[in-house]
Structure formats: C-alpha cells, structure tokens
Amino acid sequence: MKHLLKIFTIALIGFLVTSCEKDEDQAIVNELTRGTLTSDNTDLVLDKDGANSTVINFSWVKPTFNISLVPTYQLEFGIKGNNFQNSVSTDISSDATTMSFTNASLNAVMYNLKATAYVTNQIEVRLKTILGSTYFYSDVVDLIVTPYKDGPDYPYTDLYLIGDATAGGWDNLATNTKIYPLLKTTDTNAYTYTGYFAAGGFKIIKTPGSWDVQYGQASSAGSLSTDGGSGNISVASAGYYKLSIDIATLKYTFTAVADPAVNYTSISMIGTASGDWNTDVDMEQSTFDPHVWVKKNVVLNAGEFKFRANHDWTDSWGVAEEFFGTAALGGANIPVTTAYSYNVYFNDMTGNFSVIPAN
C-alpha cells in the first residue's frame, strides 16, 4: 500500500510541475512603452515636377514589450475620420527608425487611399507593430496632403483567368484577389499562363468584375469564342499546364508541363523601387498554386527591384523589362519608371511576372 501511495505521490508532483511549465509557456504579451511617430512636415502640396524629391521624413521610437519578441512594422495611412478603414500600409525594415517619401511615392499612397487630387485631404498616419495576429499602434500624426493626378504610361490590355479550374473560382468580383492575370507578350494579341489548374473549366476575361469581354471554348477544339454563351475550356485532370492564346486568331493551346522541381518558403521584392536593397517586401503565396506569389496594392517608387527567394541572394530573378516579362535567375534589375500603386504577380516556376497599375 505504501508503495502504491509513493507512486501516486510522484505522479501527482509530475503532473503539477508539467502544468506549471505549460502555464509559464503561455506568457502574456504586455506593451511596456507605446511607440511614437513624428514627421518633419504636416502640410504638403505634392509637386509632379519634383516627383523624385523628398517631401516628408517620418521617424519613430518602437514600442517595448515585457518579453523578447521579433515584430514586423508598417506605416499605416488613412483618411481622417474613417478610423483607418480601407487604410494603406507600407512595410518597413525591422531595424529602421526613419522613412522618407518623395512627392511621387506619397502621391501613390494618396491615390491608393482614393484621396481627391488637387484639393486638401485630411490624412492620419501611425506606426503599426505586428505580433502574429495582434497589432499595437503609436500615436497618430495628422497631415494635410494635396495630391496630384498621375499614373504610369501603361498602354497594355490585361486578361485574367476565371473558373473552377483556377485559383479565383467563378466569383467574378472586382474584389476577388485570386483572379490571376495571363502573361502579356511583345505580340499584343498573344498571352500565356503556366501554372496549376484543377479539374474543371475556365474562361478568360478582360476585367475582374465584368463579363463584357470574355473568351471561352468555341465549337471546335483549340478555338475561342467571344460570345457570352461560349463553353468553358475543360481541364480533365488536375496538374500543371501551359495555356497560350491569340485573341486575333481566336486560337489556343493547352498542354501539360512537368511539375516544378523546387519549392520556396518565401519570395520577396527588394530594391529601390520597393524600398531599398536591404529590405525585403514579402509577397503572398497562393494557396491554390504554391509557385504563384502576389503583392496587391504595393506602392513602388521610381527605381528598380528584383525578386528573390528565402530572403537570400542564392536564387534571385530579374530582367530589364518594365511591367511584364520572364525574369531570369541572376538577371538584370526590373525597372519602375513611375511611382504608383501596383499589383505584382510572380511565378517562381517560370520567372514570369506582371506589374500592373492597381487602378
């Protein structure tokens, strides 16, 4: 009996120690000091002629916490009175304490906020500290900003995939962020897309949220129809395929390709266009096709950038072509002529990329 009691006592002590250890692991994060944000200008009339001139400098003191953590940081902009609804955020390096904006880059933020050009807009800015799904905010800096109307010279027509064989499904909404573009080519009538397709069907549309221009299956294989009653292009088996279309001849090919041999845990943009050559701007990996990476509504400066994997230069991609192209491993920098808000798409399987004005 004493032997059994001894065993029970040892087991109970072990349970209590384990329970205490678990409680200690669940540490509560407390903000010890709040972050602060300041700017050297508060009333700005943005000047298109001085697009690349610095117009405002922000500086901040990061918040401190009761335990050691590795947060990420953003500057968050919003229209005053909207409580930062539909805000625009700019990623900042974890070790940075200052950030400058040119006339052009701040104008791009204003455009993405849907601020009104050539009139004063009341703007709020704050430092946003991100710890997992928890956010901490600095005090708010108030700005008065008069933006100008501008945008890149973009003489291209984009086409997009839609359908249950594709990432976006059949939800043809302008807000559907999973509707991916085809890659444009130097032939303005020819487009391609290489990637994963599920078993099902798809069509091609010009504008997410509209069916006004669409391409579907015609009566004969390999032919396209622009009729609203056209059929779906069928995918019999899920896998990786290359789609090529010509909207002048209304022809297409759809052929299977080998599965990708390499998988990456992260893809980022880096360079003067996305910030600087020391700061990675991470892209979002598609949950449908892990080789497709997207960054929506990202403000790019006039400059250049590359894509790179795993925050390292072992695998990086570039080519001296603006807006779209096939970036090569170790290739040249990708140029950006006009600071603006863009939707950026990258395929690590092929190096194909698109940089499309967001609005």
Side-chain angles (χ1 to χ4, degrees), residues 262 264 267 306-309 313-319 326-332 346 348-351:
V262 180
Y264 297 103
I267 296 289
K306 281 188 171 183
F307 299 101
R308 71 173 183 171
W313 289 111
T314 301
D315 286 346
S316 67
W317 297 262
V319 65
T326 299
L329 280 167
F346 178 68
D348 70 47
M349 177 182 174
T350 61

Side-chain angles (χ1 to χ4, degrees), residues 76-325:
E76 185 177 23
F77 295 79
I79 301 293
K80 188 171 184 177
N82 289 352
N83 196 28
F84 287 93
Q85 294 295 314
N86 302 314
S87 64
V88 174
S89 295
T90 300
D91 295 331
I92 54 181
S93 173
S94 60
D95 57 355
T97 56
T98 62
M99 175 172 277
S100 299
F101 285 81
T102 63
N103 282 285
S105 60
L106 187 59
N107 197 71
V109 172
M110 295 303 103
Y111 183 85
N112 207 34
L113 279 175
K114 296 180 171 56
T116 305
Y118 304 118
V119 300
T120 57
N121 293 260
Q122 303 291 323
I123 303 298
E124 295 179 317
V125 192
R126 62 187 180 184
L127 175 68
K128 182 178 182 180
T129 303
I130 305 168
L131 292 168
S133 58
T134 304
Y135 306 141
F136 298 87
Y137 301 102
S138 73
D139 54 317
V140 171
V141 171
D142 292 320
L143 303 179
I144 301 172
V145 183
T146 304
Y148 55 86
K149 190 172 183 179
D150 195 22
D153 180 15
Y154 188 79
Y156 305 107
T157 298
D158 288 290
L159 297 177
Y160 296 82
L161 293 171
I162 191 167
D164 56 6
T166 71
W170 286 111
D171 295 328
N172 190 8
L173 301 174
T175 54
N176 186 348
T177 60
K178 296 180 179 180
I179 298 179
Y180 300 152
L182 282 75
L183 176 69
K184 297 176 287 295
T185 70
T186 53
D187 179 347
T188 57
N189 295 311
Y191 298 77
T192 67
Y193 184 90
T194 302
Y196 181 79
F197 288 80
F202 69 92
K203 287 187 174 184
I204 298 115
I205 58 175
K206 178 182 177 182
T207 306
S210 173
W211 293 102
D212 286 348
V213 177
Q214 62 174 283
Y215 301 89
Q217 177 69 57
S219 57
S220 60
S223 295
L224 295 170
S225 170
T226 59
D227 188 282
S230 63
N232 300 333
I233 300 172
S234 179
V235 182
S237 301
Y240 286 88
Y241 295 86
K242 180 176 181 178
L243 169 70
S244 299
I245 71 169
D246 189 310
I247 59 174
T249 62
L250 293 180
K251 299 292 184 183
Y252 77 90
T253 60
F254 189 68
T255 56
V257 298
D259 290 358
V262 180
N263 294 285
Y264 297 103
T265 57
S266 72
I267 296 289
S268 59
M269 304 167 62
I270 188 168
T272 56
S274 58
D276 56 55
W277 288 108
N278 297 310
T279 305
D280 289 280
V281 176
D282 288 329
M283 304 184 73
E284 295 178 8
Q285 186 177 33
S286 168
T287 56
F288 182 82
D289 181 347
H291 301 280
V292 173
W293 303 79
V294 181
K295 187 67 174 178
K296 301 280 286 186
N297 295 313
V298 59
V299 176
L300 298 181
N301 305 309
E304 53 191 13
F305 74 97
K306 281 188 171 183
F307 299 101
R308 71 173 183 171
N310 305 330
H311 298 167
D312 187 78
W313 289 111
T314 301
D315 286 346
S316 67
W317 297 262
V319 65
E321 296 177 3
E322 190 170 12
F323 298 124
F324 65 91

